[in-house]
Amino acid sequence: MSVITTERHDDVLVIVSNNPPINALGHAVRDGIKQALEQAIADPAVKAVVIRCDGRTFFAGADITEFGKPMQEPQLPGLLEWMESIEKPVVAAMHGTALGGGLETALASHYRIAVPSAKMGLPEVKLGILPGAGGTQRLPRVVGVPAALEMIVGGAPISAKKALEIGLIDRLAGEDNLAADAIAFAREIADQRPLPRVSEKQAVAEPGVFDAFRAANARKMKGFEAPEACIQAIQAAAELPYAEGLALERSLIGKLLASDQSKAQRHIFFAERAAAKIDGLAAGTPLIPIKSVGVIGAGTMGGGIAMNFLSIGIPVTILEMQQEALDRGVATIGKNYAGNVKSGRMTQEQADKATSLLTPTLSYDDLSTVDLVIEAVFENMDVKKEVFGKLDKVAKPGAILASNTSYLDVDEIASATSRPEYVLGLHFFSPANVMKLLEVVRGAKTSDSVLATAMDLAKKIKKIAVVAGVCYGFIGNRMLKPRQDQAGQLILEGAKPSDVDRVFLDFGFPMGPFQLADLAGLDIGWHRDPTRRETVREALCAEGRLGQKSGGGFYDYDEKRNRTPSPVAEKIIAEFAAAKGIPQRQISDEEIRERCLYTMVNEGAKILEEGKAQRASDIDVVWVYGYGWPVYRGGPMLWADQIGLKTVVDGLKRQADRLGKDFTVSPLLLEKAESGKTFN
Ligand code: 3H9
């Protein structure tokens, strides 16, 4: 059956798209719309046209899988210009998510109607491009420049109610009555002339509005190419005739589509979705219903983990060993919810509902009925095994037992139970109620149902889950290690912490390794013996430099926590290096990049080689969503592909003498570099 069909309702022709899952405007859809419109034009009995979609949504955009391939006619921009010019009114009837090219189709229609639950947006910026089918020119003409800037540069969708308020749609349909209401609307306006054509309207901009927007959003836009292009296109809408603005839009999208940034952002879009797929898992693997959760440990991690479930209505029993720690944990959860209410992220009612679902306890016995227990206690194998031994005794048969360990061997933890098939790792990232990433660690004996349930649950709590195999540090922390080792070594060889951090900031990370260390606190895991100074961190801690919280760590901080390079810390580092007999030298940014970032790629390749990640793009997802790798660089593996694997291997070979005696280049990386292949 064709993806486009038509229905005649007397004098109204309804064009219906049925192109699951999201009615992307691929070639068949565009061609079908064109033919249907021609049919409407040719038939004198047709007075008006409605375009709507079957399935879960109105067109959610162009078909991104067509990008980078030769485009087949009719292309969307040309199709929409022609559609707007025809002499019979076209009504776009929207439900679900009218996004990107979908909303552009609606903007090129003469009238717009939507159900109250519909959402509308131009999210192209998130793919590193701009709306390229007239959206940058039409939207400001309909909703004004400020609202268009928000929607196009921000990329977030708005509700139908808001769309009505700002004039983006003409009216709301009944929630379950879109098809009929759209036809009635079409009949109502069928004879009205002239037809309202958005391209014929004028967009006006207040003086200075664009520069003010740039200044206000500088931080968010830093490093990205697409937002500036969006602003320039909107500016053209306000300052140039329509045709010239459209030409600029076209030339800008052409450049962006070919850019590494857009390729990286599109890669992450698909990588995120691919990560949800588990190789070798049969479709229809039964899921274990999770109606209640237990969390062991009410510290920062345990509390954050608990909030994920409370917020979606799943009751949580939280366990601590001491009343005081339990009270503190519960109070923190309450405070975090109050913060969410204050910032408008949830209503008081939602926060009250969430906190009412929390049951604090000091007794393991209270975990006997829950469907899933997540342990978030001290990161030590003996402690974890003791916890799992106890859990094995109290948890009901069929309950999933998860560890939030960030490094440890999940199989060894599972061996403390009589039911290793129910054990897996759920590695949340701090703050666990905020960070999007979840590493789901599949143990040797973890059952398919347990794994599938964890992935399904991750989606429900709005995490992006990636499956990792058991190895020290899994995907993320395992790759962090060479980077941290090299950063630590570089400052001993003469680079300043601020030099290393600057290279990371220039690359696009929100923070460098030493800023991060100061923020987290240098005393994490410190033995608290000032006479034992085996690492630079220990030497800094011994001098009371514990990081931001103590006013100094690798940097000095003022009372507002503004950082400046620290002569004191640099002296401590230099003395430490002298005591170890490490000579000082000038170190280039290039060397910092090669030693810190290429070694990560190398470790990623080893992870793939060993089958600890299912695919290279999963590694990219981990780094973008868990560790601040700039999305416009697509994650470490795509970045390596883009700069060339041979470049990476050459850099590693150049630095090999400095990378430690155990360093080896991954055979997989070597093989791919030599044969001109890529990871993705
Ligand atoms: C654009 O419009 C450019 C124009 O301005 C100019 C042109 C000249 N294309 O996300 P889900 C797939 S740019 C192809 O899991 P949900 C997706 O990969 C576009 N495929 O569902 C997945 O496949 P699989 C502007 C797409 O319910 C399946 O559909 N639009 C596209 O959680 C289900 O997706 C956007 O950026 C696409 N455009 O969320 C919107 N979109 O099952 C992008 C999705 O094989 N899309 N797929 O893994 C979204 O934001 C979400 O998909 C949406 C539904 C909110 C619609």
Side-chain angles (χ1 to χ4, degrees):
M1 200 180 96
S2 167
V3 288
I4 296 289
T5 49
T6 54
E7 297 167 0
R8 256 312 271 283
H9 294 261
D10 301 328
D11 50 355
V12 177
L13 183 82
V14 181
I15 303 175
V16 183
S17 170
N18 188 355
N19 185 30
I22 59 106
N23 275 307
L25 286 148
H27 174 252
V29 174
R30 300 191 305 267
D31 194 46
I33 293 174
K34 179 165 178 266
Q35 289 183 31
L37 285 171
E38 280 166 349
Q39 178 191 334
I41 294 167
D43 186 342
V46 172
K47 288 195 151 177
V49 177
V50 168
I51 299 183
R52 67 169 182 85
C53 295
D54 272 346
R56 64 195 215 219
T57 181
F58 191 72
F59 311 111
D63 186 339
I64 312 169
T65 59
E66 288 182 352
F67 291 0
K69 299 178 190 154
M71 269 295 190
Q72 282 178 279
E73 296 292 342
Q75 297 189 39
L76 193 61
L79 175 67
L80 297 187
E81 292 316 304
W82 171 71
M83 183 175 85
E84 193 195 47
S85 75
I86 65 180
E87 288 303 331
K88 291 183 181 176
V90 177
V91 177
M94 294 174 271
H95 75 292
T97 43
L99 301 177
L103 184 57
E104 291 175 298
T105 302
L107 283 162
S109 303
H110 306 105
Y111 296 91
R112 289 164 287 283
I113 181 170
V115 296
S117 63
K119 290 203 162 69
M120 283 140 239
L122 293 174
E124 284 88 341
V125 73
K126 295 183 181 164
L127 300 169
I129 55 172
L130 47 65
T136 63
Q137 303 307 297
R138 286 200 179 88
L139 189 68
R141 285 176 158 82
V142 176
V143 303
V145 165
L149 280 168
E150 286 299 332
M151 283 181 71
I152 295 175
V153 184
I158 61 169
S159 65
K161 184 168 161 265
K162 174 90 194 208
L164 186 66
E165 255 167 53
I166 64 175
L168 177 55
I169 57 173
D170 300 293
R171 67 171 66 171
L172 287 173
E175 187 62 51
D176 301 315
N177 218 30
L178 181 63
D181 286 355
I183 293 169
F185 185 29
R187 235 168 240 143
E188 208 180 301
I189 51 79
D191 296 322
Q192 277 182 29
R193 294 294 182 279
L195 287 177
R197 294 189 174 95
V198 173
S199 66
E200 291 169 1
K201 289 183 157 200
Q202 198 61 44
V204 259
E206 298 287 324
V209 61
F210 297 104
D211 283 339
F213 186 86
R214 282 187 181 95
N217 293 280
R219 244 182 68 138
K220 269 191 257 169
M221 294 175 7
K222 191 171 165 240
F224 288 89
E225 290 160 4
E228 173 56 29
C230 290
I231 297 174
Q232 285 175 15
I234 299 167
Q235 188 156 2
E239 294 172 0
L240 301 176
Y242 178 76
E244 285 176 39
L246 203 60
L248 180 72
E249 178 192 272
R250 202 138 306 162
S251 100
L252 288 171
I253 195 175
K255 279 185 213 140
L256 289 173
L257 272 171
S259 70
D260 276 352
Q261 285 207 351
S262 170
K263 286 178 194 152
Q265 287 177 262
R266 282 180 271 143
H267 163 72
I268 289 297
F269 177 86
F270 288 114
E272 191 185 315
R273 285 155 179 85
K277 302 185 170 87
I278 309 170
D279 293 341
L281 200 71
T285 300
L287 300 180
I288 300 166
I290 304 294
K291 298 210 172 72
S292 59
V293 172
V295 174
I296 306 183
T300 313
M301 214 53 210
I305 292 170
M307 287 177 72
N308 285 298
F309 299 99
L310 297 172
S311 298
I312 62 157
I314 296 182
V316 175
T317 303
I318 194 161
L319 172 80
E320 258 297 345
M321 294 300 95
Q322 307 290 336
Q323 188 65 49
E324 203 194 332
L326 187 61
D327 292 345
R328 213 180 315 127
V330 171
T332 304
I333 292 174
K335 228 182 288 163
N336 287 341
Y337 275 120
N340 285 350
V341 173
K342 209 169 155 202
S343 68
R345 259 171 297 180
M346 54 177 22
T347 62
Q348 186 62 50
E349 200 188 342
Q350 287 167 324
D352 290 345
K353 163 122 199 290
T355 43
S356 75
L357 294 172
L358 182 67
T359 308
T361 182
L362 295 171
S363 164
Y364 267 88
D365 293 339
D366 290 335
L367 300 178
S368 63
T369 55
V370 299
D371 301 313
L372 160 72
V373 186
I374 304 172
E375 155 283 309
V377 303
F378 189 61
E379 186 77 349
N380 171 288
M381 183 55 87
D382 293 338
V383 177
K384 303 258 185 206
K385 280 169 95 169
E386 195 192 321
V387 167
F388 274 76
K390 281 189 196 156
L391 268 182
D392 193 34
K393 293 202 178 71
V394 297
K396 69 178 185 188
I400 298 178
L401 311 181
S403 171
N404 178 49
T405 178
S406 35
Y407 286 96
L408 300 175
D409 183 336
V410 171
D411 292 330
E412 192 179 339
I413 295 175
S415 74
T417 73
S418 60
R419 41 175 140 173
E421 63 278 21
Y422 284 96
V423 178
L424 85 174
L426 289 179
H427 179 208
F428 289 81
F429 290 72
S430 188
N433 52 320
V434 178
M435 293 290 288
K436 295 285 280 176
L437 181 66
L438 179 68
E439 277 182 327
V440 175
V441 187
R442 180 184 203 167
K445 295 187 179 156
T446 306
S447 81
D448 285 357
S449 268
V450 167
L451 186 65
T453 302
M455 296 302 281
D456 180 66
L457 194 61
K459 209 169 178 181
K460 289 191 178 129
I461 60 172
K462 300 191 177 72
K463 299 286 179 210
I464 295 167
V466 171
V467 178
V470 175
C471 58
Y472 188 73
F474 317 123
I475 297 172
N477 283 344
R478 174 166 166 185
M479 286 169 70
L480 186 64
K481 185 167 184 311
R483 165 188 133 168
Q484 296 301 84
D485 287 351
Q486 288 309 312
Q489 197 56 35
L490 282 158
I491 59 169
L492 292 180
E493 293 172 25
K496 305 261 182 283
S498 54
D499 293 332
V500 176
D501 284 348
R502 179 174 38 73
V503 168
F504 277 82
L505 293 178
D506 289 350
F507 187 80
F509 278 95
M511 256 185 231
F514 298 105
Q515 285 172 264
L516 187 65
D518 275 357
L519 177 69
L522 302 187
D523 56 336
I524 294 179
W526 183 40
H527 45 58
R528 297 198 152 56
D529 175 358
T531 63
R532 262 175 67 196
R533 300 182 177 205
E534 282 145 31
T535 64
V536 166
R537 281 173 82 116
E538 287 172 2
L540 290 166
C541 286
E543 299 292 335
R545 301 186 66 88
L546 308 182
Q548 279 198 18
K549 61 185 169 191
S550 71
F554 284 104
Y555 293 90
D556 289 333
Y557 296 90
D558 65 16
E559 52 299 338
K560 286 193 182 137
R561 296 205 173 187
N562 292 313
R563 70 173 191 284
T564 44
S566 169
V568 180
E570 282 161 18
K571 185 157 168 278
I572 294 171
I573 296 165
E575 283 168 3
F576 188 89
K580 296 263 174 209
I582 302 170
Q584 305 288 289
R585 62 189 170 87
Q586 277 288 333
I587 292 178
S588 69
D589 287 3
E590 191 56 27
E591 179 175 340
I592 296 172
R593 240 189 324 273
E594 291 182 350
R595 287 175 62 181
C596 292
L597 299 180
Y598 290 5
T599 49
M600 285 181 52
V601 173
N602 190 50
E603 199 61 40
K606 289 183 182 179
I607 288 172
L608 280 175
E609 237 163 62
E610 294 167 24
K612 303 299 181 190
Q614 298 191 87
R615 44 187 95 81
S617 64
D618 281 8
I619 297 178
D620 291 334
V621 169
V622 165
W623 272 83
V624 166
Y625 287 106
Y627 295 83
W629 187 284
V631 61
Y632 57 78
R633 291 196 202 271
M637 307 318 275
L638 185 87
W639 174 67
D641 286 345
Q642 288 189 333
I643 62 171
L645 299 187
K646 188 171 175 312
T647 307
V648 176
V649 169
D650 290 348
L652 288 169
K653 286 185 176 163
R654 205 168 27 248
Q655 302 297 342
D657 290 347
R658 297 178 172 133
L659 298 176
K661 62 177 179 11
D662 297 330
F663 175 78
T664 53
V665 178
S666 142
L668 179 70
L669 174 59
L670 261 183
E671 185 264 312
K672 284 194 183 285
E674 275 163 13
S675 57
K677 291 194 197 125
T678 55
F679 285 112
N680 286 285

